[in-house]
Amino acid sequence: MAFLLDQGEENIPIAKMLERIACRGRYSRGVLQFLLERNLVNIDESVMETLASNFWALGALLSWRPGTPITEKVLMF
């Protein structure tokens, strides 16, 4: 993964990665953490809503940026 990310940010399919993270459960938390550490993901409402179905990913997002707004769509999951 580090090799892929070192190839250049313009070639990284972040949106597709986030969609897959949303479906992978707790096993994707490490991948998300890696993306956050490299500042490749900007935590906003759309990211929160994309990852709302993954409890583990939401935990990672909220621990990374505790004041992130939680929308109604996030609460519905």
Side-chain angles (χ1 to χ4, degrees):
M1 175 104 133
F3 176 76
L4 172 67
L5 295 176
D6 289 337
Q7 298 304 307
E9 292 181 28
E10 64 278 351
N11 297 325
I12 301 170
I14 298 294
K16 186 169 240 31
M17 290 177 79
L18 292 175
E19 289 174 14
R20 291 193 180 202
I21 288 170
C23 301
R24 300 276 193 240
R26 70 180 181 181
Y27 303 106
S28 62
R29 186 176 177 144
V31 175
L32 180 59
Q33 190 72 28
F34 194 77
L35 294 173
L36 291 170
E37 289 170 359
R38 288 187 170 235
N39 294 316
L40 295 171
V41 174
N42 182 23
I43 302 172
D44 59 12
E45 290 179 5
S46 67
V47 170
M48 292 292 287
E49 290 175 356
T50 299
L51 298 176
S53 62
N54 184 330
F55 172 80
W56 303 100
L58 278 181
L61 293 175
L62 291 172
S63 67
W64 191 264
R65 183 165 295 144
T68 303
I70 298 176
T71 65
E72 183 177 344
K73 185 175 178 180
V74 173
L75 291 174
M76 297 303 286
F77 278 97

